Amino acid sequence: MKSPEELAKERMRRIEAAVNLEEPDRVPFSGVGGDVIAAYAGITQEEFCFDYKKAKEAIVKFNRDFPCDWTFAAGFVGVGVPPLTYAFADDPDVSATVGMAMFGTIHDITGDVCTRYPGREIESNCSPQFIGGKFMEVEEYDDLIENPVKFIAEVIIPRICRNMNTPRKAMAAMIRLGIEAEKIKSFAMEVGMELAKLGYPSIPITLGYTPLDLIGDGLRDELNLILDLRRYPDKVRKACEALVEPILKVGLALKPLGIKYAFIPLHLNEYLSPELYNEFYWPYLKEVIMGFAKEGIKSFVFFEGRHDAHLETILELPKGWGIAYFEKTDVRKAKEILKGHTCVMGGVPISLIVSGTPEKIDSYVKELLEEVKPGGGYILATSVGIAPKETPVENIKALIEAVEKYGKY
Amino acid sequence: MVSNAKELAEKRMARLMAAINLEEPDKVPLAGVGGDIVPAYAGISMYEYCYDVEKAVKATEKFIKDFPCDWPFAASVVGLDGRVFNVAFSEFPDICINLTFITGPMHDALGDKYYRYPGREISPDSSPQFIGGAFMEADEYDKLIADPVKFIAETVLPRACRNLETPRKAMAAMVRLGREISNFNALMGQIVGKMIENGYPAMALGGAYAPLDLIGDFLRGVENLLLDIRRCPEKVKAAAEALVEPIMNYALAHKSIGANLAFIPLHLNEYLSPKLYKEFYWPTLKEVIERLVKEGFKVMVFFEGKHDAHLETILELPKGWGVAYFEKTDVVKAKEVLKGHTCVMGGIPMGLIVGGTPAQIDEYVKNLLEKVKPGGGFILAPGVGTAPRETPLENIKALVEAVEKYG
Amino acid sequence: MLEEILKSIVEMEEEEAVKKAKEYLDGGGDPQKLLEVCRDAMGEVGSRFEKGEYFLSELILGGEIFRQIMEFTLPKLQSGSVKKIGKIVLGTVKEDVHNIGKDIFKVFAEASGFEVIDLGIDTPEEKFVEAVKEHKPDIVGMSCLITAGVTSMKKTVDKLKEAGLRDSVKIIIGGGRVDESVKEFAGADAWADDAAKGVRLCKQLIGVEG
């Protein structure tokens, strides 16, 4: 029986070998998370999002019973308000605590209109959801370009957050945010300690964003932004340029904690033709990734949807730059193109775990690994980490066993 | 041990409550000293006391353990009066009650010009100090009167606090302030835990303020205000009246934490002639006290300096309203005037504790208690709770023993 | 003129397309013909998308151009003169509050001549059942973005079965997280994760050439 420390080291080595494009002892496996964690613990989504103690117990229980190498997906509890994070770009100590605080309690404090939380706007057993909205007019691109942080903090936040729409309410809400941030900090530390006891490596992660996604998700709404690309291309480009620095500042605010990875979830990548992607999206995303790389931080990019049309652009990054986590892109094809250059992650459709059988999962993983395992540089994960509450636990078990069975090098 | 501590705490609480309710307890209750002597006794700097939670808790525990009293009121708080923030946030009950004391880290978060903290503006061994200042012009009274909370929160605070100068800076500053509130509550939680362990009653303390003091201390500065009283008396009066409501909102917010004693430290009382006191200071202070009493609170007023000229006004309050804590007022005289009406607190000049000898202290307490003990309704306390770091420890011991002997 | 309009829409020349459509109507052009041309253009945009020549952003922009032209074209059409090829009851399923996928699909479905009854977001199973009873659609379209929606789709199909309505409609599911195995799991007839494919499959489901 390995001690938790030994187990954690072994798992860490496995993940790091894959990231460094080597062959570990076995294909590392990043487990599922999301709604199933609360369901498995017998608590509601509302409790999971608003009750630190219950959330902690649920996360620990789930990770005890469904072991994996990397509990990345099981660490997140809710959805956040991206502009709120970037409003604090000039205050790294603040962005470091508030930036990652995605919890229902924060939603209660901000009264934001861009997320929906169980037991609040939606039923107590629904997943928390981000829906965004339009909070900026076309005429305001110049303000955004001139001083993005000031514009976001002073103009956008009062529009998004009902509890911050007057100066006094904003001050009170900010104080509450600070008080809550301390609670979230202890929550995160306690979860970390419990997971360490279970032999999980500590992999602190910071957050990155693609400038165009920040405009789409947090300011203009994605549909308007798509139209802006045609109507006001220069403004959009300049705005993207202006957002690179605050995005890096927020991401690097956590550097003193010894973070090694910056998670960058992409959104609009799939929406764009190669022409638009290369003009509005990729140059600035690349700048962000390179900015992190300069500080010794590897990027961990989630390529939402199908990234097939843009796969080759990844090769423009320096070898070993980080992890490319694909949702619907065929990882076999991705592995083929990125072999020896980029660690590839993903491969198992979440729908297979939700609707398949243990036998189907076993044979799927077997076939998949035969193709993508050779040569290393691969982390197995589901297409998205969020498993719905009805996900059959025997399917999660089957996935874990299949990796154990077919993943060894 | 635990049950002993509990019994002891109950005994001390009963002693205090008897005095407050104008009865004779088993012994005259003693409110102990605190202040700079607390960190000095623990061998830490004032800076450490103000900024290092762990050390502050240890120092407090050591002090209240070694110098027992009935009410370690003065030894338990590491912060300066923040009533302007209480008023600014008076619309938000959950927040305003957390800003009665501005700690060193909160001061850092705000970047305010009201306070000076050791290791920041002043040397690591200096006491934290309130300086105040003028952050409102004489021609702004109308704005203050029209909407005091808005004016203070949106106009005064950005002037008084460097980190609130722009809305963007204010956002970050407020988050930091929230974090420090959280830290302070954790500190107080630990101190209360230590108090309970050591047999002290845990009493949730509320707070209020004399409206005119709020103007003098935090808005106009004392000197400007004294001139305003002559130059624009009606505006000053109207402003004090306008502040009653937000001060009451702040004071009543303490109901949520189960507080039933509200502390009001006075400042300008000594500066004013009976005529000015009665016209500008007392009416709104009286309204605040009376309303608190109606809401079920006892009020403890600290009458700074010499309050002799205004003693009789206290009798206008309902009998048993609370505690009158005097600094330099002659408590023998005060007891005489307020007997059967108001619990009197104080009596030990700080100079005696700092500069006297144990024998002098013994003698002084004996004489004093002979005069003020009969009939109860008296709490013995130093004129101000904050003892300097050079205070001879044997004098503090002598005080504790004298009360034991003659109380 | 109509051919130029068609070309402008397909080539994503927003201002040009809208301007020419206005000129066409102002010059006494037939609104019915304009509508048909716009529909053809949207069909072409969809087919370019399916060929991988166009991406989501072009679908969105195409929909926006169509919407702008329809704003001044539809009022000029006699009511009842617009022929519908079929009826779709459409909604984002229970527990999911996202509307983007559903809305993009709706524009294309309407542009293809479908009548769409939009039930909105977070639609309870019963509401789908009621809407089927009331509107007697050819097709029920269910959308979801989050993974939790997958099980809501299955529950909705089950409810339609219980109500004895399953065989009276075709069911298509759509959204970012659906695929063949979700279709099987939910018991739907077709699935699509983009609007163009979705509309093409709807036409097939009711026997109209895609």
Side-chain angles (χ1 to χ4, degrees):
Chain A
M1 191 69 187
K2 287 176 193 120
S3 73
E5 292 79 18
E6 284 167 338
L7 193 53
K9 265 190 200 145
E10 180 185 303
R11 285 167 165 164
M12 193 68 185
R13 272 200 301 272
R14 198 171 283 149
I15 296 162
E16 283 184 341
V19 176
N20 293 328
L21 310 170
E22 293 155 14
E23 275 193 5
D25 59 332
R26 161 167 77 59
V27 169
F29 167 49
S30 172
V32 298
D35 301 10
V36 71
I37 298 176
Y40 184 67
I43 61 172
T44 63
Q45 279 296 316
E46 182 183 355
E47 289 169 304
F48 191 55
C49 292
F50 290 90
D51 186 323
Y52 298 113
K53 193 165 165 276
K54 286 182 179 162
K56 183 187 88 177
E57 282 163 4
I59 291 172
V60 172
K61 182 178 162 74
F62 188 84
N63 281 295
R64 179 181 297 127
D65 294 354
F66 303 103
C68 64
D69 296 308
W70 194 0
T71 61
F72 169 69
F76 284 111
V77 179
V79 288
V81 182
L84 188 59
T85 306
Y86 295 98
F88 296 113
D90 292 336
D91 306 277
D93 63 312
V94 176
S95 76
T97 41
V98 174
M100 298 292 274
M102 288 182 258
F103 221 94
T105 47
I106 297 292
H107 174 62
D108 278 354
I109 290 170
T110 60
D112 70 84
V113 297
C114 65
T115 64
R116 299 286 181 270
Y117 266 88
R120 298 297 183 269
E121 297 85 1
I122 52 180
E123 270 182 45
S124 67
N125 236 336
C126 291
S127 318
Q129 292 165 58
F130 177 80
I131 63 154
K134 187 187 96 170
F135 306 106
M136 171 188 148
E137 299 302 321
V138 158
E139 297 74 36
E140 293 175 313
Y141 268 109
D142 289 337
D143 299 331
L144 173 68
I145 293 160
E146 199 194 316
N147 190 342
V149 176
K150 181 178 153 74
F151 176 72
I152 289 173
E154 297 181 3
V155 180
I156 297 298
I157 294 304
R159 291 179 187 163
I160 297 181
C161 302
R162 277 168 295 194
N163 297 342
M164 300 180 180
N165 59 11
T166 71
R168 264 176 292 152
K169 278 167 76 183
M171 285 168 81
M174 292 298 158
I175 291 179
R176 294 193 184 108
L177 216 51
I179 294 174
E180 209 58 39
E182 288 297 307
K183 290 188 195 156
I184 292 178
K185 199 166 99 186
S186 347
F187 162 75
M189 277 168 59
E190 284 169 28
V191 169
M193 270 156 59
E194 293 293 326
L195 292 182
K197 282 187 214 156
L198 296 174
Y200 284 103
S202 155
I203 308 176
I205 285 179
T206 188
L207 199 65
Y209 230 99
T210 306
L212 198 72
D213 280 334
L214 185 54
I215 302 173
D217 293 343
L219 305 173
R220 285 286 290 152
D221 189 79
E222 52 198 1
L223 292 184
N224 293 313
L225 177 59
I226 295 293
L227 305 177
D228 294 346
L229 294 182
R230 309 277 178 168
R231 293 173 182 166
Y232 319 98
D234 287 343
K235 304 249 183 224
V236 177
R237 254 193 311 260
K238 279 192 191 134
C240 287
E241 229 172 83
L243 285 168
V244 169
E245 193 191 321
I247 287 169
L248 278 170
K249 273 189 184 167
V250 167
L252 293 172
L254 287 168
K255 202 189 164 200
L257 301 181
I259 48 151
K260 290 181 179 165
Y261 298 97
F263 182 59
I264 312 177
L266 307 192
H267 186 189
L268 284 174
N269 56 320
E270 182 190 34
Y271 287 57
L272 304 175
S273 64
E275 190 199 339
L276 292 176
Y277 183 80
N278 290 324
E279 188 175 350
F280 294 98
Y281 200 92
W282 177 237
Y284 310 103
L285 170 59
K286 199 160 111 182
E287 250 189 84
V288 170
I289 294 173
M290 296 306 292
F292 281 126
K294 218 168 79 186
E295 301 286 335
I297 293 165
K298 288 189 191 277
S299 289
F300 168 23
V301 180
F302 177 62
F303 294 91
E304 189 173 306
R306 286 194 187 79
H307 200 71
D308 301 72
H310 317 307
L311 268 181
E312 266 81 10
T313 57
I314 298 174
L315 293 169
E316 295 168 25
L317 295 170
K319 190 183 140 178
W321 62 275
I323 304 168
Y325 179 9
F326 294 106
E327 186 195 358
K328 295 199 257 178
T329 310
D330 180 358
V331 293
R332 297 164 183 86
K333 187 180 146 200
K335 181 85 201 298
E336 196 53 46
I337 294 176
L338 301 173
K339 193 167 50 187
H341 178 277
T342 295
C343 172
V344 171
M345 175 164 165
V348 181
I350 189 72
S351 61
L352 180 69
I353 308 300
V354 178
S355 64
T357 60
E359 298 73 40
K360 274 191 198 165
I361 291 165
D362 184 272
S363 66
Y364 180 93
V365 172
K366 181 169 184 273
E367 282 171 31
L368 173 72
L369 286 181
E370 270 168 19
E371 289 185 58
V372 297
K373 196 174 79 170
Y378 173 71
I379 298 170
L380 187 129
T382 49
S383 56
V384 291
I386 300 168
K389 52 182 176 291
E390 294 87 353
T391 308
V393 291
E394 66 269 22
N395 286 356
I396 302 175
K397 286 237 149 71
L399 177 63
I400 295 167
E401 280 159 22
V403 180
E404 204 58 59
K405 225 156 110 187
Y406 307 113
K408 296 223 170 68
Y409 282 95
Chain B
M1 180 65 197
V2 175
S3 79
N4 277 353
K6 207 175 152 234
E7 265 170 46
L8 187 55
E10 278 166 10
K11 234 184 189 167
R12 284 170 164 163
M13 188 68 175
R15 197 171 287 150
L16 277 169
M17 289 320 294
I20 293 173
N21 292 325
L22 309 171
E23 292 155 16
E24 269 192 12
D26 61 332
K27 190 178 82 178
V28 171
L30 171 69
V33 299
D36 297 16
I37 185 69
V38 179
Y41 181 63
I44 61 171
S45 70
M46 203 61 210
Y47 166 75
E48 290 170 304
Y49 186 56
C50 291
Y51 284 93
D52 189 324
V53 170
E54 213 176 299
K55 286 181 181 162
V57 171
K58 271 197 189 140
T60 306
E61 190 192 13
K62 186 175 163 67
F63 192 83
I64 61 174
K65 224 182 209 164
D66 293 353
F67 302 103
C69 64
D70 295 304
W71 198 10
F73 172 65
S76 56
V77 167
V78 195
L80 293 167
D81 198 294
R83 311 287 154 122
V84 74
F85 300 100
N86 302 133
V87 169
F89 290 99
S90 56
E91 299 159 288
F92 310 102
D94 60 319
I95 291 169
C96 69
I97 57 168
N98 288 302
L99 294 167
T100 303
F101 297 103
I102 299 298
T103 63
M106 291 183 199
H107 166 65
D108 291 351
L110 291 163
D112 65 80
K113 302 164 195 167
Y114 290 125
Y115 315 105
R116 302 289 181 270
Y117 262 88
R120 294 294 184 264
E121 298 85 359
I122 52 179
S123 88
D125 274 318
S126 305
S127 316
Q129 287 158 61
F130 176 80
I131 299 292
F135 302 102
M136 167 189 158
E137 299 301 321
D139 60 7
E140 290 179 310
Y141 271 103
D142 288 338
K143 285 186 208 152
L144 174 65
I145 294 160
D147 190 342
V149 173
K150 183 182 161 73
F151 178 70
I152 289 174
E154 297 177 15
T155 305
V156 174
L157 290 189
R159 292 177 188 161
C161 306
R162 286 176 205 95
N163 297 342
L164 304 182
E165 273 164 5
T166 71
R168 194 199 59 71
K169 280 175 79 179
M171 285 171 70
M174 290 292 122
V175 174
R176 294 188 187 107
L177 183 62
R179 288 202 309 235
E180 295 311 336
I181 286 174
S182 191
N183 290 334
F184 179 63
N185 287 341
L187 164 75
M188 289 312 289
Q190 287 190 54
I191 287 181
V192 167
K194 298 295 176 199
M195 283 171 64
I196 291 170
E197 265 176 49
N198 288 288
Y200 287 102
M203 219 190 295
L205 196 62
Y209 219 56
L212 201 71
D213 276 336
L214 197 96
I215 303 173
D217 291 343
F218 295 100
L219 307 179
R220 287 288 290 146
V222 171
E223 283 149 43
N224 291 324
L225 176 60
L226 291 173
L227 298 175
D228 294 344
I229 286 177
R230 312 278 174 174
R231 290 174 183 161
C232 49
E234 291 314 312
K235 302 229 183 228
V236 173
K237 236 181 280 179
E241 275 158 23
L243 283 164
V244 170
E245 215 48 54
I247 287 173
M248 284 308 300
N249 287 340
Y250 152 66
L252 295 178
H254 291 92
K255 280 185 173 178
S256 68
I257 55 163
N260 44 25
L261 183 65
F263 180 56
I264 307 182
L266 306 192
H267 187 195
L268 275 177
N269 55 321
E270 188 191 28
Y271 290 67
L272 304 173
S273 68
K275 183 171 171 284
L276 292 178
Y277 182 82
K278 280 184 192 147
E279 191 177 348
F280 293 94
Y281 197 92
W282 179 236
T284 47
L285 171 59
K286 188 170 138 186
E287 190 184 342
V288 168
I289 296 172
E290 282 177 344
R291 284 175 64 178
L292 278 165
V293 171
K294 244 183 227 147
E295 295 278 349
F297 281 84
K298 294 274 182 192
V299 182
M300 174 168 132
V301 177
F302 178 62
F303 294 92
E304 191 173 304
K306 289 198 179 67
H307 198 69
D308 301 70
H310 318 307
L311 266 182
E312 268 79 12
T313 57
I314 297 174
L315 292 169
E316 295 169 25
L317 296 169
K319 190 184 141 181
W321 63 276
V323 182
Y325 180 9
F326 294 106
E327 186 191 0
K328 296 190 217 164
T329 311
D330 177 0
V331 291
V332 177
K333 185 179 149 203
K335 181 83 202 296
E336 197 56 45
V337 174
L338 301 172
K339 192 167 52 184
H341 179 277
T342 295
C343 171
V344 171
M345 174 164 163
I348 317 280
M350 191 44 84
L352 180 68
I353 307 292
V354 179
T357 64
Q360 281 170 334
I361 291 168
D362 184 272
E363 179 68 16
Y364 180 90
V365 171
K366 180 169 181 274
N367 289 339
L368 176 70
L369 287 184
E370 267 169 24
K371 291 181 205 150
V372 297
K373 197 174 78 172
F378 183 78
I379 298 169
L380 188 70
V384 286
T386 45
R389 61 174 180 274
E390 297 83 2
T391 309
L393 298 174
E394 63 272 24
N395 287 357
I396 303 177
K397 285 234 150 70
L399 174 63
V400 174
E401 279 158 22
V403 179
E404 206 57 57
K405 237 157 98 184
Y406 310 112
Chain C
M1 185 77 166
L2 283 172
E3 237 170 67
E4 282 175 35
I5 294 171
L6 184 132
K7 191 169 163 283
S8 297
I9 297 175
V10 171
E11 297 299 328
M12 299 286 133
E13 294 156 2
E14 184 188 5
E15 276 175 42
E16 202 54 24
V18 175
K19 201 179 92 197
K20 280 186 192 143
K22 250 189 206 135
E23 281 169 17
Y24 172 77
L25 286 181
D26 290 347
D30 180 356
Q32 185 66 41
K33 277 190 179 147
L34 179 61
L35 174 65
E36 278 159 24
V37 159
C38 288
R39 284 181 172 173
D40 290 347
M42 292 293 273
E44 176 60 18
V45 169
S47 101
R48 287 193 185 188
F49 178 88
E50 291 212 68
K51 280 185 232 156
E53 293 167 18
Y54 275 0
F55 288 72
L56 244 179
S57 74
E58 283 80 14
L59 282 192
I60 291 168
L61 184 59
E64 171 66 15
I65 300 171
F66 182 78
R67 188 193 61 76
Q68 286 182 46
I69 296 174
M70 285 308 112
E71 231 171 44
F72 54 81
T73 306
L74 288 179
K76 291 201 157 64
L77 288 164
Q78 284 171 315
S79 61
S81 73
V82 183
K83 205 175 95 247
K84 299 291 181 189
I85 61 168
K87 198 191 272 185
I88 303 176
V89 158
L90 177 70
T92 300
V93 294
K94 192 169 178 341
E95 292 194 18
D96 193 330
V97 295
H98 294 90
N99 57 13
I100 175 166
K102 169 180 74 66
D103 290 350
I104 297 172
F105 170 79
K106 183 180 166 186
V107 172
F108 274 80
E110 286 179 338
S112 300
F114 280 100
E115 180 187 353
V116 178
I117 292 124
D118 188 347
L119 304 180
I121 55 168
D122 194 6
T123 312
E125 296 94 351
E126 299 75 28
K127 203 167 163 192
F128 274 104
V129 171
E130 288 309 311
V132 169
K133 279 183 190 160
E134 187 189 336
H135 299 287
K136 303 188 171 48
D138 305 289
I139 294 170
V140 171
M142 294 188 278
S143 168
C144 81
L145 181 75
I146 59 171
T147 53
V150 168
T151 43
S152 297
M153 287 176 164
K154 178 175 165 52
K155 286 179 195 161
T156 307
V157 175
D158 290 346
K159 272 274 154 53
L160 286 169
K161 275 183 194 159
E162 266 173 46
L165 297 167
R166 175 65 185 90
D167 297 333
S168 70
V169 291
K170 297 289 182 188
I171 297 177
I172 183 165
I173 57 172
R177 309 281 106 67
V178 307
D179 57 18
E180 183 66 22
S181 58
V182 174
K183 187 197 96 179
E184 296 295 325
F185 173 70
D189 299 307
W191 70 274
D193 60 357
D194 67 71
K197 183 181 170 195
V199 171
R200 177 168 57 78
L201 291 176
C202 282
K203 286 182 180 170
Q204 280 176 10
L205 286 173
I206 60 165
V208 178
E209 204 191 330

